[in-house]
Amino acid sequence: MTGNEAWALLLDWSNILSILGLDVIDQIPEFKKERVIKKISKLYGEESLLSFKPNELDELVANELRELMRKELMTHARQKEKLERQMKAKMSPFKNQGVMRIDMNDIKNMPDELKDFFTRQLTGKKPDSDQEDDDDKYSEDKNSYYI
């Protein structure tokens, strides 16, 4: 950028990125930025560009970049669509009426605590909370109280 393109300092690159649908400023090569700035400076002139509003400048630069980066933008859009399709494919089992299918072979490889949890959930049995009382070394009547 030379000294006669002071209008380029008014550009909001985050706004330009959002207009183009890009995520990071690094997706626009530096030489393409410079080429667009020089082209717009030649077309409109320094004086008239300084009179534009910042949003108008952003849209003007975004339109020129869109034409210059047509291939990159199409590739980026395809990658984005592919990623969305992959995420949909991965998330589709969770949409089935709130029911998640469990493969019983996967349960065999789980830790014992998780196995116990799933067996309790599937069978409906409650955990035995009196296990500590069963481990007494004295054999006495556990069904009644002594006074």
Side-chain angles (χ1 to χ4, degrees), residues 4 11 23 39 52 71 92 110 126:
N4 62 352
L11 294 175
D23 303 319
K39 182 178 179 181
F52 283 16
K71 279 186 180 178
S92 65
M110 290 184 179
K126 294 187 178 183

Side-chain angles (χ1 to χ4, degrees), residues 3 8 33 37 52 58 64 70 83 101 116 129 137 143:
K33 291 180 198 175
I37 290 173
F52 283 16
D58 294 344
E64 289 294 324
R70 185 168 284 150
L83 183 64
R101 296 184 180 110
D116 293 340
S129 61
K137 58 185 174 182
N143 296 332

Side-chain angles (χ1 to χ4, degrees), residues 50-76:
L50 286 173
S51 66
F52 283 16
K53 294 179 182 176
N55 288 339
E56 294 172 345
L57 287 175
D58 294 344
E59 289 178 20
L60 186 64
V61 171
N63 290 335
E64 289 294 324
L65 275 172
R66 185 175 289 123
E67 290 176 17
L68 189 63
M69 295 180 56
R70 185 168 284 150
K71 279 186 180 178
E72 290 95 339
L73 292 174
M74 289 177 69
T75 304
H76 179 70

